[in-house]
Amino acid sequence: GGTVDRVQGYIWMDLAAERMWRPFLVRREWMWEQLTPAERERALVEGKAVFAEYGDEVAKPRKEAALRKGRRNITGSRVGSVGALRVQIPGPGGLPITIRGDEFYNPVFWDIEKYWAWQEDTWKDAPPGLVEVGALRADTETPEQ
């Protein structure tokens, strides 16, 4: 329902391609080719602010600090067991999803080095995908089956 801003789309794809993961690089290059010379110039100028706030150079330390803080809040025994702990996280449509504590506190999500390795494994060779955006609907409607 909003206006299309190809430059902003490109800037965010450029950010997604920052770690040199092929699926994002391919899409970024395709998007660059679609821009006019004026749009390319605008992307180079406006992209600097996006990278200054969200690029890995600043975002990774911010994420690492959040992970360290979160690890200090783990509930359970002093030897690492979370027992029968259940954690509620936001799910689709804002509805809560309940997961086991050992799944939520899996070291792959909380240990800094394991987290970055997991990200690399997840995205570096991710298959291409397609997202189709449907018509807007009221929040009270249920998704079509």
Side-chain angles (χ1 to χ4, degrees), residues 103-137:
E103 293 173 327
F104 184 79
Y105 288 113
N106 183 328
V108 76
F109 305 126
W110 297 92
D111 178 274
I112 292 166
E113 296 306 319
K114 289 179 182 176
Y115 178 81
W116 295 129
W118 171 66
Q119 289 283 299
E120 182 73 17
D121 288 343
T122 300
W123 291 107
K124 72 176 177 180
D125 294 319
L130 178 66
V131 174
E132 292 185 19
V133 179
L136 292 176
R137 60 180 171 78

PDB file of all heavy atoms in Angstrom, residues 103-137:
ATOM      1  N   GLU A 103      15.732 -25.609  24.913  1.00  0.00           N
ATOM      2  CA  GLU A 103      15.736 -25.162  23.518  1.00  0.00           C
ATOM      3  C   GLU A 103      16.018 -23.660  23.434  1.00  0.00           C
ATOM      4  O   GLU A 103      16.813 -23.217  22.618  1.00  0.00           O
ATOM      5  CB  GLU A 103      14.386 -25.456  22.845  1.00  0.00           C
ATOM      6  CG  GLU A 103      14.091 -26.924  22.663  1.00  0.00           C
ATOM      7  CD  GLU A 103      12.672 -27.169  22.156  1.00  0.00           C
ATOM      8  OE1 GLU A 103      11.756 -26.385  22.511  1.00  0.00           O
ATOM      9  OE2 GLU A 103      12.481 -28.129  21.417  1.00  0.00           O
ATOM     10  N   PHE A 104      15.354 -22.896  24.311  1.00  0.00           N
ATOM     11  CA  PHE A 104      15.520 -21.445  24.296  1.00  0.00           C
ATOM     12  C   PHE A 104      16.960 -21.056  24.630  1.00  0.00           C
ATOM     13  O   PHE A 104      17.531 -20.162  24.015  1.00  0.00           O
ATOM     14  CB  PHE A 104      14.553 -20.797  25.289  1.00  0.00           C
ATOM     15  CG  PHE A 104      14.596 -19.296  25.278  1.00  0.00           C
ATOM     16  CD1 PHE A 104      13.942 -18.582  24.292  1.00  0.00           C
ATOM     17  CD2 PHE A 104      15.286 -18.595  26.251  1.00  0.00           C
ATOM     18  CE1 PHE A 104      13.973 -17.193  24.268  1.00  0.00           C
ATOM     19  CE2 PHE A 104      15.325 -17.212  26.242  1.00  0.00           C
ATOM     20  CZ  PHE A 104      14.665 -16.509  25.246  1.00  0.00           C
ATOM     21  N   TYR A 105      17.536 -21.738  25.602  1.00  0.00           N
ATOM     22  CA  TYR A 105      18.893 -21.398  26.041  1.00  0.00           C
ATOM     23  C   TYR A 105      19.971 -22.257  25.379  1.00  0.00           C
ATOM     24  O   TYR A 105      21.079 -22.378  25.880  1.00  0.00           O
ATOM     25  CB  TYR A 105      19.007 -21.476  27.567  1.00  0.00           C
ATOM     26  CG  TYR A 105      18.275 -20.342  28.243  1.00  0.00           C
ATOM     27  CD1 TYR A 105      17.146 -20.575  29.010  1.00  0.00           C
ATOM     28  CD2 TYR A 105      18.706 -19.037  28.082  1.00  0.00           C
ATOM     29  CE1 TYR A 105      16.471 -19.521  29.620  1.00  0.00           C
ATOM     30  CE2 TYR A 105      18.042 -17.985  28.685  1.00  0.00           C
ATOM     31  CZ  TYR A 105      16.923 -18.236  29.456  1.00  0.00           C
ATOM     32  OH  TYR A 105      16.269 -17.192  30.046  1.00  0.00           O
ATOM     33  N   ASN A 106      19.655 -22.851  24.237  1.00  0.00           N
ATOM     34  CA  ASN A 106      20.641 -23.613  23.472  1.00  0.00           C
ATOM     35  C   ASN A 106      21.854 -22.709  23.230  1.00  0.00           C
ATOM     36  O   ASN A 106      21.706 -21.578  22.772  1.00  0.00           O
ATOM     37  CB  ASN A 106      20.025 -24.045  22.145  1.00  0.00           C
ATOM     38  CG  ASN A 106      20.941 -24.899  21.305  1.00  0.00           C
ATOM     39  OD1 ASN A 106      22.159 -24.752  21.327  1.00  0.00           O
ATOM     40  ND2 ASN A 106      20.358 -25.797  20.547  1.00  0.00           N
ATOM     41  N   PRO A 107      23.065 -23.203  23.516  1.00  0.00           N
ATOM     42  CA  PRO A 107      24.258 -22.358  23.358  1.00  0.00           C
ATOM     43  C   PRO A 107      24.433 -21.759  21.964  1.00  0.00           C
ATOM     44  O   PRO A 107      25.049 -20.714  21.824  1.00  0.00           O
ATOM     45  CB  PRO A 107      25.415 -23.314  23.678  1.00  0.00           C
ATOM     46  CG  PRO A 107      24.812 -24.346  24.570  1.00  0.00           C
ATOM     47  CD  PRO A 107      23.392 -24.501  24.088  1.00  0.00           C
ATOM     48  N   VAL A 108      23.868 -22.377  20.944  1.00  0.00           N
ATOM     49  CA  VAL A 108      24.012 -21.823  19.594  1.00  0.00           C
ATOM     50  C   VAL A 108      23.373 -20.437  19.502  1.00  0.00           C
ATOM     51  O   VAL A 108      23.773 -19.625  18.683  1.00  0.00           O
ATOM     52  CB  VAL A 108      23.443 -22.774  18.523  1.00  0.00           C
ATOM     53  CG1 VAL A 108      21.938 -22.745  18.484  1.00  0.00           C
ATOM     54  CG2 VAL A 108      24.006 -22.458  17.153  1.00  0.00           C
ATOM     55  N   PHE A 109      22.416 -20.157  20.365  1.00  0.00           N
ATOM     56  CA  PHE A 109      21.756 -18.850  20.354  1.00  0.00           C
ATOM     57  C   PHE A 109      22.379 -17.854  21.327  1.00  0.00           C
ATOM     58  O   PHE A 109      22.093 -16.665  21.243  1.00  0.00           O
ATOM     59  CB  PHE A 109      20.274 -18.992  20.688  1.00  0.00           C
ATOM     60  CG  PHE A 109      19.541 -19.950  19.798  1.00  0.00           C
ATOM     61  CD1 PHE A 109      18.817 -20.996  20.332  1.00  0.00           C
ATOM     62  CD2 PHE A 109      19.582 -19.819  18.421  1.00  0.00           C
ATOM     63  CE1 PHE A 109      18.131 -21.882  19.516  1.00  0.00           C
ATOM     64  CE2 PHE A 109      18.911 -20.700  17.599  1.00  0.00           C
ATOM     65  CZ  PHE A 109      18.180 -21.738  18.151  1.00  0.00           C
ATOM     66  N   TRP A 110      23.194 -18.320  22.256  1.00  0.00           N
ATOM     67  CA  TRP A 110      23.674 -17.444  23.328  1.00  0.00           C
ATOM     68  C   TRP A 110      25.181 -17.326  23.404  1.00  0.00           C
ATOM     69  O   TRP A 110      25.696 -16.316  23.890  1.00  0.00           O
ATOM     70  CB  TRP A 110      23.121 -17.930  24.674  1.00  0.00           C
ATOM     71  CG  TRP A 110      21.633 -17.830  24.693  1.00  0.00           C
ATOM     72  CD1 TRP A 110      20.739 -18.803  24.337  1.00  0.00           C
ATOM     73  CD2 TRP A 110      20.856 -16.687  25.004  1.00  0.00           C
ATOM     74  NE1 TRP A 110      19.449 -18.329  24.424  1.00  0.00           N
ATOM     75  CE2 TRP A 110      19.498 -17.026  24.843  1.00  0.00           C
ATOM     76  CE3 TRP A 110      21.171 -15.395  25.422  1.00  0.00           C
ATOM     77  CZ2 TRP A 110      18.467 -16.138  25.076  1.00  0.00           C
ATOM     78  CZ3 TRP A 110      20.136 -14.502  25.666  1.00  0.00           C
ATOM     79  CH2 TRP A 110      18.810 -14.876  25.490  1.00  0.00           C
ATOM     80  N   ASP A 111      25.922 -18.327  22.974  1.00  0.00           N
ATOM     81  CA  ASP A 111      27.378 -18.249  22.954  1.00  0.00           C
ATOM     82  C   ASP A 111      27.780 -17.472  21.705  1.00  0.00           C
ATOM     83  O   ASP A 111      27.404 -17.843  20.589  1.00  0.00           O
ATOM     84  CB  ASP A 111      27.975 -19.654  22.944  1.00  0.00           C
ATOM     85  CG  ASP A 111      29.484 -19.638  22.867  1.00  0.00           C
ATOM     86  OD1 ASP A 111      30.012 -19.579  21.734  1.00  0.00           O
ATOM     87  OD2 ASP A 111      30.124 -19.665  23.926  1.00  0.00           O
ATOM     88  N   ILE A 112      28.535 -16.420  21.890  1.00  0.00           N
ATOM     89  CA  ILE A 112      28.831 -15.494  20.791  1.00  0.00           C
ATOM     90  C   ILE A 112      29.430 -16.203  19.580  1.00  0.00           C
ATOM     91  O   ILE A 112      28.965 -16.029  18.450  1.00  0.00           O
ATOM     92  CB  ILE A 112      29.738 -14.347  21.287  1.00  0.00           C
ATOM     93  CG1 ILE A 112      28.954 -13.473  22.261  1.00  0.00           C
ATOM     94  CG2 ILE A 112      30.274 -13.530  20.129  1.00  0.00           C
ATOM     95  CD1 ILE A 112      29.800 -12.525  23.072  1.00  0.00           C
ATOM     96  N   GLU A 113      30.477 -16.989  19.788  1.00  0.00           N
ATOM     97  CA  GLU A 113      31.134 -17.668  18.665  1.00  0.00           C
ATOM     98  C   GLU A 113      30.207 -18.685  17.996  1.00  0.00           C
ATOM     99  O   GLU A 113      30.172 -18.793  16.773  1.00  0.00           O
ATOM    100  CB  GLU A 113      32.431 -18.333  19.126  1.00  0.00           C
ATOM    101  CG  GLU A 113      33.485 -17.356  19.618  1.00  0.00           C
ATOM    102  CD  GLU A 113      33.807 -16.265  18.594  1.00  0.00           C
ATOM    103  OE1 GLU A 113      33.902 -16.573  17.390  1.00  0.00           O
ATOM    104  OE2 GLU A 113      33.948 -15.098  19.009  1.00  0.00           O
ATOM    105  N   LYS A 114      29.454 -19.432  18.806  1.00  0.00           N
ATOM    106  CA  LYS A 114      28.526 -20.409  18.236  1.00  0.00           C
ATOM    107  C   LYS A 114      27.402 -19.711  17.476  1.00  0.00           C
ATOM    108  O   LYS A 114      26.939 -20.193  16.447  1.00  0.00           O
ATOM    109  CB  LYS A 114      27.947 -21.301  19.333  1.00  0.00           C
ATOM    110  CG  LYS A 114      28.966 -22.259  19.905  1.00  0.00           C
ATOM    111  CD  LYS A 114      28.378 -23.103  21.006  1.00  0.00           C
ATOM    112  CE  LYS A 114      29.462 -24.007  21.581  1.00  0.00           C
ATOM    113  NZ  LYS A 114      28.978 -24.777  22.723  1.00  0.00           N
ATOM    114  N   TYR A 115      26.979 -18.568  17.981  1.00  0.00           N
ATOM    115  CA  TYR A 115      25.917 -17.825  17.307  1.00  0.00           C
ATOM    116  C   TYR A 115      26.356 -17.366  15.925  1.00  0.00           C
ATOM    117  O   TYR A 115      25.636 -17.561  14.949  1.00  0.00           O
ATOM    118  CB  TYR A 115      25.492 -16.615  18.153  1.00  0.00           C
ATOM    119  CG  TYR A 115      24.432 -15.780  17.474  1.00  0.00           C
ATOM    120  CD1 TYR A 115      23.094 -16.160  17.520  1.00  0.00           C
ATOM    121  CD2 TYR A 115      24.771 -14.640  16.757  1.00  0.00           C
ATOM    122  CE1 TYR A 115      22.118 -15.409  16.885  1.00  0.00           C
ATOM    123  CE2 TYR A 115      23.797 -13.888  16.112  1.00  0.00           C
ATOM    124  CZ  TYR A 115      22.480 -14.280  16.180  1.00  0.00           C
ATOM    125  OH  TYR A 115      21.521 -13.542  15.534  1.00  0.00           O
ATOM    126  N   TRP A 116      27.556 -16.773  15.824  1.00  0.00           N
ATOM    127  CA  TRP A 116      28.022 -16.304  14.512  1.00  0.00           C
ATOM    128  C   TRP A 116      28.260 -17.482  13.569  1.00  0.00           C
ATOM    129  O   TRP A 116      27.987 -17.390  12.368  1.00  0.00           O
ATOM    130  CB  TRP A 116      29.271 -15.437  14.632  1.00  0.00           C
ATOM    131  CG  TRP A 116      29.028 -14.148  15.363  1.00  0.00           C
ATOM    132  CD1 TRP A 116      29.751 -13.649  16.414  1.00  0.00           C
ATOM    133  CD2 TRP A 116      27.999 -13.174  15.121  1.00  0.00           C
ATOM    134  NE1 TRP A 116      29.230 -12.445  16.837  1.00  0.00           N
ATOM    135  CE2 TRP A 116      28.147 -12.126  16.060  1.00  0.00           C
ATOM    136  CE3 TRP A 116      26.953 -13.081  14.216  1.00  0.00           C
ATOM    137  CZ2 TRP A 116      27.310 -11.018  16.103  1.00  0.00           C
ATOM    138  CZ3 TRP A 116      26.097 -11.977  14.262  1.00  0.00           C
ATOM    139  CH2 TRP A 116      26.290 -10.964  15.196  1.00  0.00           C
ATOM    140  N   ALA A 117      28.745 -18.613  14.088  1.00  0.00           N
ATOM    141  CA  ALA A 117      28.941 -19.798  13.246  1.00  0.00           C
ATOM    142  C   ALA A 117      27.594 -20.317  12.742  1.00  0.00           C
ATOM    143  O   ALA A 117      27.471 -20.720  11.578  1.00  0.00           O
ATOM    144  CB  ALA A 117      29.679 -20.881  14.027  1.00  0.00           C
ATOM    145  N   TRP A 118      26.594 -20.320  13.599  1.00  0.00           N
ATOM    146  CA  TRP A 118      25.253 -20.762  13.214  1.00  0.00           C
ATOM    147  C   TRP A 118      24.701 -19.854  12.126  1.00  0.00           C
ATOM    148  O   TRP A 118      24.120 -20.325  11.149  1.00  0.00           O
ATOM    149  CB  TRP A 118      24.347 -20.767  14.441  1.00  0.00           C
ATOM    150  CG  TRP A 118      22.893 -20.991  14.150  1.00  0.00           C
ATOM    151  CD1 TRP A 118      22.323 -22.128  13.644  1.00  0.00           C
ATOM    152  CD2 TRP A 118      21.834 -20.066  14.350  1.00  0.00           C
ATOM    153  NE1 TRP A 118      20.962 -21.956  13.518  1.00  0.00           N
ATOM    154  CE2 TRP A 118      20.634 -20.694  13.951  1.00  0.00           C
ATOM    155  CE3 TRP A 118      21.766 -18.767  14.845  1.00  0.00           C
ATOM    156  CZ2 TRP A 118      19.408 -20.061  14.016  1.00  0.00           C
ATOM    157  CZ3 TRP A 118      20.529 -18.145  14.909  1.00  0.00           C
ATOM    158  CH2 TRP A 118      19.374 -18.788  14.503  1.00  0.00           C
ATOM    159  N   GLN A 119      24.874 -18.546  12.274  1.00  0.00           N
ATOM    160  CA  GLN A 119      24.434 -17.605  11.255  1.00  0.00           C
ATOM    161  C   GLN A 119      25.114 -17.896   9.914  1.00  0.00           C
ATOM    162  O   GLN A 119      24.472 -17.903   8.876  1.00  0.00           O
ATOM    163  CB  GLN A 119      24.748 -16.167  11.692  1.00  0.00           C
ATOM    164  CG  GLN A 119      23.883 -15.664  12.814  1.00  0.00           C
ATOM    165  CD  GLN A 119      22.519 -15.281  12.315  1.00  0.00           C
ATOM    166  OE1 GLN A 119      22.400 -14.403  11.475  1.00  0.00           O
ATOM    167  NE2 GLN A 119      21.496 -15.933  12.820  1.00  0.00           N
ATOM    168  N   GLU A 120      26.409 -18.134   9.967  1.00  0.00           N
ATOM    169  CA  GLU A 120      27.169 -18.427   8.739  1.00  0.00           C
ATOM    170  C   GLU A 120      26.635 -19.694   8.073  1.00  0.00           C
ATOM    171  O   GLU A 120      26.403 -19.715   6.861  1.00  0.00           O
ATOM    172  CB  GLU A 120      28.652 -18.579   9.083  1.00  0.00           C
ATOM    173  CG  GLU A 120      29.545 -18.839   7.912  1.00  0.00           C
ATOM    174  CD  GLU A 120      29.764 -17.620   7.014  1.00  0.00           C
ATOM    175  OE1 GLU A 120      29.500 -16.488   7.441  1.00  0.00           O
ATOM    176  OE2 GLU A 120      30.199 -17.832   5.873  1.00  0.00           O
ATOM    177  N   ASP A 121      26.438 -20.744   8.850  1.00  0.00           N
ATOM    178  CA  ASP A 121      25.932 -22.000   8.295  1.00  0.00           C
ATOM    179  C   ASP A 121      24.522 -21.854   7.733  1.00  0.00           C
ATOM    180  O   ASP A 121      24.164 -22.481   6.735  1.00  0.00           O
ATOM    181  CB  ASP A 121      25.925 -23.100   9.355  1.00  0.00           C
ATOM    182  CG  ASP A 121      27.319 -23.594   9.699  1.00  0.00           C
ATOM    183  OD1 ASP A 121      28.268 -23.338   8.912  1.00  0.00           O
ATOM    184  OD2 ASP A 121      27.471 -24.228  10.758  1.00  0.00           O
ATOM    185  N   THR A 122      23.713 -21.022   8.366  1.00  0.00           N
ATOM    186  CA  THR A 122      22.327 -20.843   7.952  1.00  0.00           C
ATOM    187  C   THR A 122      22.219 -20.098   6.632  1.00  0.00           C
ATOM    188  O   THR A 122      21.431 -20.456   5.759  1.00  0.00           O
ATOM    189  CB  THR A 122      21.538 -20.094   9.040  1.00  0.00           C
ATOM    190  OG1 THR A 122      21.577 -20.860  10.245  1.00  0.00           O
ATOM    191  CG2 THR A 122      20.095 -19.870   8.617  1.00  0.00           C
ATOM    192  N   TRP A 123      23.034 -19.045   6.459  1.00  0.00           N
ATOM    193  CA  TRP A 123      22.822 -18.135   5.347  1.00  0.00           C
ATOM    194  C   TRP A 123      23.812 -18.214   4.193  1.00  0.00           C
ATOM    195  O   TRP A 123      23.498 -17.777   3.095  1.00  0.00           O
ATOM    196  CB  TRP A 123      22.801 -16.689   5.857  1.00  0.00           C
ATOM    197  CG  TRP A 123      21.589 -16.431   6.674  1.00  0.00           C
ATOM    198  CD1 TRP A 123      21.536 -16.292   8.036  1.00  0.00           C
ATOM    199  CD2 TRP A 123      20.252 -16.294   6.212  1.00  0.00           C
ATOM    200  NE1 TRP A 123      20.253 -16.068   8.432  1.00  0.00           N
ATOM    201  CE2 TRP A 123      19.439 -16.061   7.334  1.00  0.00           C
ATOM    202  CE3 TRP A 123      19.670 -16.335   4.953  1.00  0.00           C
ATOM    203  CZ2 TRP A 123      18.068 -15.879   7.221  1.00  0.00           C
ATOM    204  CZ3 TRP A 123      18.302 -16.153   4.855  1.00  0.00           C
ATOM    205  CH2 TRP A 123      17.521 -15.923   5.981  1.00  0.00           C
ATOM    206  N   LYS A 124      24.997 -18.756   4.419  1.00  0.00           N
ATOM    207  CA  LYS A 124      26.019 -18.653   3.365  1.00  0.00           C
ATOM    208  C   LYS A 124      25.619 -19.331   2.073  1.00  0.00           C
ATOM    209  O   LYS A 124      25.930 -18.855   0.997  1.00  0.00           O
ATOM    210  CB  LYS A 124      27.368 -19.165   3.861  1.00  0.00           C
ATOM    211  CG  LYS A 124      27.447 -20.655   4.042  1.00  0.00           C
ATOM    212  CD  LYS A 124      28.828 -21.106   4.434  1.00  0.00           C
ATOM    213  CE  LYS A 124      28.821 -22.598   4.661  1.00  0.00           C
ATOM    214  NZ  LYS A 124      30.100 -23.093   5.046  1.00  0.00           N
ATOM    215  N   ASP A 125      24.928 -20.446   2.139  1.00  0.00           N
ATOM    216  CA  ASP A 125      24.508 -21.155   0.933  1.00  0.00           C
ATOM    217  C   ASP A 125      23.000 -21.386   0.922  1.00  0.00           C
ATOM    218  O   ASP A 125      22.525 -22.383   0.403  1.00  0.00           O
ATOM    219  CB  ASP A 125      25.241 -22.497   0.823  1.00  0.00           C
ATOM    220  CG  ASP A 125      26.728 -22.319   0.604  1.00  0.00           C
ATOM    221  OD1 ASP A 125      27.104 -21.422  -0.174  1.00  0.00           O
ATOM    222  OD2 ASP A 125      27.512 -23.046   1.231  1.00  0.00           O
ATOM    223  N   ALA A 126      22.262 -20.451   1.495  1.00  0.00           N
ATOM    224  CA  ALA A 126      20.804 -20.597   1.564  1.00  0.00           C
ATOM    225  C   ALA A 126      20.222 -20.664   0.154  1.00  0.00           C
ATOM    226  O   ALA A 126      20.646 -19.919  -0.726  1.00  0.00           O
ATOM    227  CB  ALA A 126      20.201 -19.423   2.325  1.00  0.00           C
ATOM    228  N   PRO A 127      19.267 -21.564  -0.039  1.00  0.00           N
ATOM    229  CA  PRO A 127      18.649 -21.632  -1.374  1.00  0.00           C
ATOM    230  C   PRO A 127      17.814 -20.380  -1.630  1.00  0.00           C
ATOM    231  O   PRO A 127      17.315 -19.766  -0.698  1.00  0.00           O
ATOM    232  CB  PRO A 127      17.764 -22.880  -1.282  1.00  0.00           C
ATOM    233  CG  PRO A 127      17.475 -23.035   0.169  1.00  0.00           C
ATOM    234  CD  PRO A 127      18.683 -22.500   0.896  1.00  0.00           C
ATOM    235  N   PRO A 128      17.662 -20.015  -2.900  1.00  0.00           N
ATOM    236  CA  PRO A 128      16.825 -18.842  -3.195  1.00  0.00           C
ATOM    237  C   PRO A 128      15.378 -19.132  -2.826  1.00  0.00           C
ATOM    238  O   PRO A 128      14.943 -20.277  -2.835  1.00  0.00           O
ATOM    239  CB  PRO A 128      16.997 -18.651  -4.697  1.00  0.00           C
ATOM    240  CG  PRO A 128      17.454 -19.965  -5.210  1.00  0.00           C
ATOM    241  CD  PRO A 128      18.194 -20.641  -4.091  1.00  0.00           C
ATOM    242  N   GLY A 129      14.667 -18.105  -2.472  1.00  0.00           N
ATOM    243  CA  GLY A 129      13.263 -18.263  -2.112  1.00  0.00           C
ATOM    244  C   GLY A 129      12.434 -17.162  -2.721  1.00  0.00           C
ATOM    245  O   GLY A 129      12.955 -16.221  -3.317  1.00  0.00           O
ATOM    246  N   LEU A 130      11.161 -17.281  -2.580  1.00  0.00           N
ATOM    247  CA  LEU A 130      10.236 -16.303  -3.114  1.00  0.00           C
ATOM    248  C   LEU A 130       9.185 -16.020  -2.063  1.00  0.00           C
ATOM    249  O   LEU A 130       8.631 -16.946  -1.463  1.00  0.00           O
ATOM    250  CB  LEU A 130       9.558 -16.837  -4.381  1.00  0.00           C
ATOM    251  CG  LEU A 130       8.518 -15.952  -5.029  1.00  0.00           C
ATOM    252  CD1 LEU A 130       9.186 -14.682  -5.586  1.00  0.00           C
ATOM    253  CD2 LEU A 130       7.810 -16.690  -6.143  1.00  0.00           C
ATOM    254  N   VAL A 131       8.932 -14.752  -1.812  1.00  0.00           N
ATOM    255  CA  VAL A 131       7.897 -14.349  -0.874  1.00  0.00           C
ATOM    256  C   VAL A 131       6.808 -13.648  -1.659  1.00  0.00           C
ATOM    257  O   VAL A 131       7.092 -12.757  -2.455  1.00  0.00           O
ATOM    258  CB  VAL A 131       8.465 -13.386   0.203  1.00  0.00           C
ATOM    259  CG1 VAL A 131       7.354 -12.864   1.086  1.00  0.00           C
ATOM    260  CG2 VAL A 131       9.536 -14.077   1.015  1.00  0.00           C
ATOM    261  N   GLU A 132       5.585 -14.072  -1.448  1.00  0.00           N
ATOM    262  CA  GLU A 132       4.449 -13.411  -2.071  1.00  0.00           C
ATOM    263  C   GLU A 132       3.678 -12.690  -0.980  1.00  0.00           C
ATOM    264  O   GLU A 132       3.311 -13.301   0.028  1.00  0.00           O
ATOM    265  CB  GLU A 132       3.553 -14.422  -2.775  1.00  0.00           C
ATOM    266  CG  GLU A 132       4.225 -15.046  -3.993  1.00  0.00           C
ATOM    267  CD  GLU A 132       3.301 -15.956  -4.764  1.00  0.00           C
ATOM    268  OE1 GLU A 132       2.059 -15.857  -4.595  1.00  0.00           O
ATOM    269  OE2 GLU A 132       3.816 -16.786  -5.533  1.00  0.00           O
ATOM    270  N   VAL A 133       3.454 -11.404  -1.174  1.00  0.00           N
ATOM    271  CA  VAL A 133       2.722 -10.610  -0.201  1.00  0.00           C
ATOM    272  C   VAL A 133       1.283 -10.512  -0.662  1.00  0.00           C
ATOM    273  O   VAL A 133       1.007 -10.075  -1.782  1.00  0.00           O
ATOM    274  CB  VAL A 133       3.349  -9.204  -0.052  1.00  0.00           C
ATOM    275  CG1 VAL A 133       2.566  -8.363   0.938  1.00  0.00           C
ATOM    276  CG2 VAL A 133       4.810  -9.325   0.364  1.00  0.00           C
ATOM    277  N   GLY A 134       0.378 -10.933   0.200  1.00  0.00           N
ATOM    278  CA  GLY A 134      -1.033 -10.908  -0.142  1.00  0.00           C
ATOM    279  C   GLY A 134      -1.686  -9.586   0.207  1.00  0.00           C
ATOM    280  O   GLY A 134      -1.037  -8.642   0.657  1.00  0.00           O
ATOM    281  N   ALA A 135      -2.982  -9.539   0.019  1.00  0.00           N
ATOM    282  CA  ALA A 135      -3.760  -8.340   0.320  1.00  0.00           C
ATOM    283  C   ALA A 135      -3.779  -8.103   1.824  1.00  0.00           C
ATOM    284  O   ALA A 135      -3.690  -9.045   2.624  1.00  0.00           O
ATOM    285  CB  ALA A 135      -5.187  -8.503  -0.203  1.00  0.00           C
ATOM    286  N   LEU A 136      -3.906  -6.842   2.210  1.00  0.00           N
ATOM    287  CA  LEU A 136      -4.022  -6.510   3.619  1.00  0.00           C
ATOM    288  C   LEU A 136      -5.329  -7.053   4.159  1.00  0.00           C
ATOM    289  O   LEU A 136      -6.339  -7.097   3.467  1.00  0.00           O
ATOM    290  CB  LEU A 136      -3.984  -4.992   3.811  1.00  0.00           C
ATOM    291  CG  LEU A 136      -2.661  -4.315   3.506  1.00  0.00           C
ATOM    292  CD1 LEU A 136      -2.818  -2.800   3.643  1.00  0.00           C
ATOM    293  CD2 LEU A 136      -1.568  -4.804   4.415  1.00  0.00           C
ATOM    294  N   ARG A 137      -5.325  -7.458   5.433  1.00  0.00           N
ATOM    295  CA  ARG A 137      -6.541  -7.936   6.083  1.00  0.00           C
ATOM    296  C   ARG A 137      -6.564  -7.413   7.505  1.00  0.00           C
ATOM    297  O   ARG A 137      -5.533  -7.049   8.060  1.00  0.00           O
ATOM    298  CB  ARG A 137      -6.618  -9.457   6.051  1.00  0.00           C
ATOM    299  CG  ARG A 137      -5.458 -10.141   6.753  1.00  0.00           C
ATOM    300  CD  ARG A 137      -5.605 -11.658   6.677  1.00  0.00           C
ATOM    301  NE  ARG A 137      -4.428 -12.322   7.144  1.00  0.00           N
ATOM    302  CZ  ARG A 137      -4.097 -12.500   8.414  1.00  0.00           C
ATOM    303  NH1 ARG A 137      -4.875 -12.053   9.356  1.00  0.00           N
ATOM    304  NH2 ARG A 137      -2.988 -13.123   8.748  1.00  0.00           N
TER     305      ARG A 137
END
